[in-house]
Amino acid sequence: MSFFGHLRTLCAKEALVLLRDRQAVLLLFAMPALFVLILSLALEDIYNEKVGTSLPVAFQIDDDGEFSDRLVATLKKRGEFTLVETSEELSPDALLQDGTARAWIRIPAGFSKAAGDYLSAYGREPFGENKLEWRASPELDAPYRWSLRSGLSLAMLETILDSLVDPRGEHPDIERDANLFLRESGGGSNPLPTPLQQSVPGWSLFAMFFIVVPLSASLFRERTEGTLTRILTYPIPRSAVLLSKVVPYLVVGALQFLCMLAVGVFLVPLVSDMSLELGANPSVLIPITLTSALAATSYALLVASLAKTAEQAAAFGATSIIILAMLGGVMIPHFAMPASLQQVALLSPLYWGHQAYLDAFLHDASFGEVVKPLCVLLAFAIVSLAIASRRLHR
Amino acid sequence: MAALKATELSYRYRGSSQPAVDGVGFSVEAGQFAALLGPNGAGKTTLVHLIIGLFAADSGACEIFGEPIANPEAKRAIGFCPQELALYSTLNATENLKFFGRLAGLDARALKARTAAVLDAVRLTEHASVRVERYSGGMKRRLNLAIAMLSEPKLLVLDEPTVGVDAQSRLAIFDALKAQNESGTTVLYTTHYMEEVERMCREVVVIDHGRVLTQAPTSELASLGARESLILELERDAAAILEELNAAGHDAKQIGESQVELRGVDLARELAALDALAKRGLVRSISTRRPTLEEQFLKLTGEELRDS
């Protein structure tokens, strides 16, 4: 029988043994699919705030003066706010509590007159009691609170300047004019992933690397129960035996990604407004997935070869994957990590896989543009396989 | 022709100061049913692993039907039944047999025929589609043997194939092995059960401390270098006489209330002692007993425990 004949026989057995292990199948497919579904939905709001969607703000306008009209028009023009219609029966606290609005702004009666009086006697008289009042939801995080405050200040400044420089009744676009003085250098801001773009590759990688649990258990069973010894008594190349542990799990890794992709593309949109954008070059996902699966399988073999018992392999394997996933940006997005931790993340193979996926999703990366992370994963796989092979052949 | 020929085989485990197998040389003729005996830690399993080509010897050579063990032809001639139950428990018997049969190079037609034949030989045909995890210990042992017999090997190497099985399964294993041997297959059998050796094996190789102590036909080994012992039926309690005999330098042992066994060391002295006892009217009758294989084995390998 040829090398490939032996390899096919060994792979078929490996696949059959894996398929008969229902717990392993659940662990490898159902668990990460649930993670993608639940965490994408759970993180939707947090991500939306982080990527700067318009904040729903309830306006209560009790003043009908010209200054108030101009201020409201300026606020509406700004991107930070979306005016939310409110029922007058609802108190500000109730509005913020039931989630209808994340902030509440009230322009009191007499605000325009107070503003006019203050500007005409500029610096000589205090503003008075009719001040604009605003309140943010207690759950609104500090950066967003700051953004709300600065948005209000800028709108107010624009309205004041508008009033002061408008002797002929014309309304100059102050924001546009201010931008004439500015120029941003560099490549602009880095686009952030949507919850699905974060979760689907993240938990796919987590699932791929989690094969350390069933693979190490299977390898230990073969070593202790004598089946590996029996296999090695047949005239077959030892490299075929080692490869038979890699090839089926490469296929499993690819199937895991397809499964998570299906959850992201078909299932999540059924229960939310989110949809998964794959980028302009989805074919690049194939080499990314295969290289990631190779790195995951090699790591599993490395752990199985270094451990002394099946329990040790399973415990160390599972724990190490959770740590590598945390560092690699699966559980905590890489962009949300402090700079020092972002450097440590480079040690995790999951980081490189995740970044390659994000490059494809967010930057429409071609194969050439993901070669670097793929080379890192490949080097990791080769080193792991070499050590595992050496130890298993002892 | 020698089915198996080991010449000066040596093997030392990494980190060990003593070789596990130290210059072992023996051969087993084709068609023979030979036992490989040795106490725990004697080097049996290491020697078996060298014979089947699982380990590469540090020095020496092993040939299977004239082919060096490194050759695929030599490996193809061997069917190995390990001490462990080397089975996939989530697969059924047929799936296990098909997997190992394909590794042995059997084509689809041969595989089907041989699977049926070995399942029948070990009486598992009606359980062929049951997962191994639901088998009893005896059924697993029989399947373990069936896999070794699957490719119709010219040499069967069995490492304690009957450990922990009931009498019925043991009988089924013996029947299958006997039939296999009668059809021309050479068998090398390691076990700790002496009665199995006496019942099944025509030749015995005894090893200890990694070396061959002796190789002989089973029927001759029991008496090899040891004479039959004398059994004395005494007229009175044996204890006092036993003390007297041992004080005089004889190797005597009480084996019943009034029975003493005088082990064969020096016939002239034993006859003199016997004559003295008879004159005092203490001996009722005299008989002889052949030493057992187990006694001969213990004599060869010593009675001290092998816990390390």
Side-chain angles (χ1 to χ4, degrees):
Chain A
M1 196 186 248
S2 68
F3 176 88
F4 289 105
H6 286 306
L7 184 59
R8 194 174 60 228
T9 301
L10 289 162
C11 288
K13 179 271 298 174
E14 197 69 30
L16 189 59
V17 169
L18 180 65
L19 285 173
R20 292 274 165 88
D21 187 349
R22 287 183 191 167
Q23 284 178 329
V25 172
L26 276 175
L27 188 75
L28 294 178
F29 289 93
M31 178 190 72
L34 268 177
F35 281 175
V36 169
L37 183 64
I38 294 168
L39 290 171
S40 296
L41 296 175
L43 292 173
E44 189 178 7
D45 284 352
I46 295 170
Y47 270 73
N48 284 345
E49 285 179 11
K50 186 81 188 174
V51 297
T53 53
S54 188
L55 194 71
V57 178
F59 283 89
Q60 185 181 330
I61 303 162
D62 297 334
D63 184 59
D64 56 1
E66 192 184 346
F67 189 89
S68 293
D69 291 346
R70 282 191 187 179
L71 179 62
V72 171
T74 308
L75 282 170
K76 282 180 179 174
K77 200 172 66 182
R78 301 191 63 81
E80 296 99 325
F81 312 115
T82 304
L83 180 62
V84 174
E85 298 295 335
T86 60
S87 158
E88 287 185 8
E89 293 162 8
L90 280 176
S91 68
D93 286 340
L95 271 170
L96 298 179
Q97 205 164 14
D98 74 2
T100 310
R102 305 305 300 272
W104 169 83
I105 295 171
R106 175 174 166 264
I107 302 176
F111 178 72
S112 291
K113 183 174 181 309
D117 291 349
Y118 177 78
L119 290 174
S120 59
Y122 187 74
R124 295 192 295 275
E125 296 291 337
F127 188 87
E129 293 304 313
N130 298 325
K131 291 183 178 177
L132 181 144
E133 188 183 356
W134 69 279
R135 189 181 303 183
S137 163
E139 288 146 20
L140 201 63
D141 63 12
Y144 225 96
R145 201 177 282 268
W146 178 85
S147 166
L148 178 67
R149 165 111 204 183
S150 72
L152 270 175
S153 299
L154 282 170
M156 193 68 78
L157 181 64
E158 199 172 324
T159 311
I160 292 168
L161 284 170
D162 195 13
S163 307
L164 292 174
V165 299
D166 184 26
R168 294 160 307 195
E170 292 175 6
H171 301 292
D173 188 339
I174 301 294
E175 189 171 7
R176 183 202 64 200
D177 293 346
N179 282 332
L180 292 175
F181 292 77
L182 306 172
R183 181 175 64 208
E184 184 178 0
S185 64
S189 65
N190 202 13
L192 294 175
T194 65
L196 271 177
Q197 286 173 325
Q198 165 73 21
S199 295
V200 167
W203 292 109
S204 297
L205 285 163
F206 182 79
M208 284 179 204
F209 275 82
F210 222 74
I211 58 127
V212 70
V213 175
L215 178 53
S216 60
S218 142
L219 196 57
F220 261 96
R221 266 199 305 273
E222 288 200 322
R223 284 168 76 181
T224 54
E225 292 175 2
T227 42
L228 187 61
T229 302
R230 179 166 241 161
I231 288 170
L232 294 175
T233 62
Y234 291 96
I236 54 176
R238 292 195 174 198
S239 54
V241 179
L242 188 69
L243 264 182
S244 75
K245 296 288 172 196
V246 175
V247 176
Y249 288 96
L250 271 183
V251 177
V252 168
L255 290 175
Q256 284 174 313
F257 180 69
L258 284 176
C259 178
M260 301 315 127
L261 206 59
V263 171
V265 172
F266 301 113
L267 191 58
V268 174
L270 292 179
V271 291
S272 77
D273 296 332
M274 286 185 285
S275 62
L276 181 59
E277 299 294 330
L278 298 181
N281 296 313
S283 61
V284 80
L285 299 177
I286 297 170
I288 297 174
T289 301
L290 291 178
T291 315
S292 301
L294 178 66
T297 310
S298 307
Y299 180 71
L301 285 172
L302 176 67
V303 170
S305 72
L306 292 174
K308 289 190 168 61
T309 64
E311 292 75 18
Q312 201 180 56
F316 174 76
T319 310
S320 66
I321 294 308
I322 291 169
I323 292 168
L324 290 174
M326 271 196 284
L327 281 177
V330 171
M331 296 170 183
I332 304 152
H334 188 251
F335 63 76
M337 292 178 184
S340 56
L341 209 54
Q342 285 186 348
Q343 291 301 308
V344 180
L346 303 183
L347 297 172
S348 167
L350 281 87
Y351 163 80
W352 295 98
H354 202 219
Q355 287 306 305
Y357 278 118
L358 292 181
D359 282 345
F361 289 167
L362 300 174
H363 302 295
D364 302 329
S366 63
F367 178 73
E369 289 165 313
V370 293
V371 159
K372 184 186 168 189
L374 296 194
C375 281
V376 175
L377 285 172
L378 205 58
F380 176 83
I382 290 168
V383 171
S384 301
L385 264 184
I387 298 171
S389 166
R390 196 178 162 83
R391 287 190 63 89
L392 290 172
H393 279 181
R394 270 186 194 174
Chain B
M1 184 187 192
L4 158 65
K5 186 178 178 192
T7 313
E8 291 295 313
L9 273 182
S10 291
Y11 186 82
R12 187 195 305 264
Y13 286 99
R14 188 179 294 185
S16 169
S17 57
Q18 295 295 320
V21 171
D22 188 9
V24 165
F26 72 100
S27 65
V28 176
E29 287 301 303
Q32 186 58 272
F33 200 127
L36 181 62
L37 290 182
N40 288 335
K44 291 191 304 295
T45 298
T46 307
L47 180 57
V48 164
H49 285 178
L50 289 168
I51 290 168
I52 62 174
L54 196 63
F55 294 170
D58 295 336
S59 62
C62 180
E63 289 178 357
I64 307 296
F65 291 97
E67 292 282 338
I69 185 58
N71 288 359
E73 276 310 307
K75 283 197 165 190
R76 265 191 274 277
I78 298 174
F80 174 56
C81 180
Q83 201 177 116
E84 303 89 358
L85 292 166
L87 309 165
Y88 289 98
S89 57
T90 53
L91 308 188
N92 62 36
T94 307
E95 288 165 341
N96 269 287
L97 287 164
K98 281 188 173 168
F99 168 62
F100 287 110
R102 286 193 189 110
L103 288 187
L106 297 179
D107 62 34
R109 183 179 293 180
L111 189 55
K112 192 175 177 186
R114 286 301 300 157
T115 298
V118 294
L119 281 171
D120 183 52
V122 297
R123 301 179 211 166
L124 283 174
T125 304
E126 56 192 80
H127 305 286
S129 55
V130 177
R131 285 194 193 183
V132 171
E133 61 197 358
R134 295 185 196 142
Y135 277 18
S136 67
M139 292 163 82
K140 287 177 184 170
R141 281 280 163 209
R142 275 143 56 200
L143 180 58
N144 210 28
L145 175 64
I147 293 170
M149 300 192 306
L150 186 64
S151 59
E152 293 185 280
K154 291 198 282 183
L155 171 64
L156 255 182
V157 179
L158 312 166
D159 195 0
E160 301 189 29
T162 58
V163 170
V165 303
D166 59 21
Q168 288 79 4
S169 280
R170 183 172 296 191
L171 195 62
I173 289 172
F174 289 163
D175 286 348
L177 287 176
K178 200 174 171 192
Q180 195 78 19
N181 183 236
E182 282 171 0
S183 69
T185 304
T186 310
V187 181
L188 181 66
Y189 190 93
T190 81
T191 182
H192 286 294
Y193 301 124
M194 298 299 161
E195 72 277 13
E196 288 184 1
V197 177
E198 287 182 305
R199 176 177 181 168
M200 302 289 294
C201 304
R202 296 192 293 278
E203 190 171 42
V204 180
V205 179
V206 181
I207 71 164
D208 197 12
H209 302 297
R211 294 180 179 188
V212 172
L213 298 181
T214 187
Q215 178 175 8
T218 311
S219 55
E220 291 175 20
L221 181 65
S223 54
L224 198 69
R227 220 194 54 226
E228 291 178 346
S229 55
L230 300 172
I231 308 295
L232 312 182
E233 181 73 38
L234 302 171
E235 288 292 348
R236 61 181 213 204
D237 180 32
I241 305 293
L242 182 73
E243 201 173 315
E244 191 181 316
L245 287 169
N246 281 331
H250 294 288
D251 183 6
K253 183 183 172 189
Q254 187 170 355
I255 55 172
E257 195 180 328
S258 59
Q259 275 190 331
V260 166
E261 181 177 9
L262 204 53
R263 293 186 194 175
V265 178
D266 184 337
L267 185 62
R269 287 188 61 223
E270 284 155 18
L271 287 175
L274 192 60
D275 185 45
L277 289 173
K279 281 178 180 164
R280 286 159 61 190
L282 296 174
V283 180
R284 188 184 298 159
S285 65
I286 304 169
S287 58
T288 60
R289 188 178 70 79
R290 284 172 61 90
T292 63
L293 182 63
E294 182 162 338
E295 285 167 333
Q296 188 63 3
F297 175 74
L298 287 171
K299 190 176 173 188
L300 282 167
T301 60
E303 293 188 13
E304 72 274 17
L305 290 171
R306 303 298 180 89
D307 291 337
S308 58

